[in-house]
Amino acid sequence: GGGGAGGGKQEVDAYPSLALALAEAAQAGQRVVLMADPRTLTLPWEALPSLRQKVGNPLPLVTRDLGVHMLLSRAAAAGGEMAPKADPAATTFIVDPVWEDEESTASENPRDGSRNAFEAFQKRAKAASQWKGVPGWASVPSEADWEGCLTTAKAAKAGARGAFVYYGPGRVGAHFLPSRLPTLDLSNAGAVVLLDRYFNDTCFRRQTQLDNMKKGHEIALEGPEELAALLSLAGAGAVALPQWAGSAFERLAALGGLAA
């Protein structure tokens, strides 16, 4: 039982059933899928002590899903595989749609902008050199470009699917119409990776101006949980996106992780 006033906080690790289930899953090489109800979906469950990686205590892969029916639907679309797969070479992308992330030359915090970072990533990752898409420094993607990149990631390998990757500042959902996602067929997309929600002054000002012209329900559809649901309903095999805002360095590190 939990302690009262002055009784100290109760750690989730105190529940032996949860700790035991995680240990058994890790030992068996299984993964854990979290399914939270809408009221608790936005909570950072992965930060719980029982779900954090510890030295000498390997944890299973922890993912989320919207419900049992959606999980089984993904598995059916992937030929019975519980973990949807995507061919890295069959990937489409959109990067920094209006080119707002320029390099920082500040001596205390220098970093590459989106163009240099993405081009360097493509040189490091062999498969990424074959990706096709729209970089914001070449042109601003239209609504048709967004829909085309999301729906045409076809894999050459039999039984595999392609992927879509977005990398850029601001909210990705502010660059296209999320309400149109359920009308698209994303069955070719085995994975949708959205590396957004880092901000600078330029994109923050533009985002604020756009938000002032939108209705509340339109902004709500740009939220991470809502986008994940809409993309999943459209047929995406897996959706990976940040739930909260982060730094440009964090998103750049996540982009680099795709080369692994």
Side-chain angles (χ1 to χ4, degrees), residues 183-205:
T183 68
L184 304 180
D185 179 9
L186 303 189
S187 57
N188 285 325
V192 174
V193 181
L194 307 177
L195 303 178
D196 67 336
R197 295 185 177 274
Y198 69 92
F199 295 87
N200 56 31
D201 290 341
T202 303
C203 82
F204 185 79
R205 286 194 297 269

Side-chain angles (χ1 to χ4, degrees), residues 221-258:
L221 288 180
E222 299 172 7
E225 294 83 13
E226 289 76 9
L227 271 183
L230 291 172
L231 289 165
S232 299
L233 289 172
V239 180
L241 76 172
Q243 202 169 359
W244 299 277
S247 69
F249 289 99
E250 290 173 330
R251 300 300 182 257
L252 182 57
L255 177 66
L258 297 180

Side-chain angles (χ1 to χ4, degrees), residues 10-19 48-52 54 57:
Q10 182 183 33
E11 295 283 358
V12 175
D13 292 54
Y15 293 96
S17 58
L18 176 59
L48 290 173
S50 292
L51 297 178
R52 288 204 298 263
K54 300 175 183 177
N57 181 28

Side-chain angles (χ1 to χ4, degrees), residues 20 43 56 83 118-119 190 223 251:
L20 179 61
L43 296 177
F118 189 73
E119 290 178 346
R251 300 300 182 257

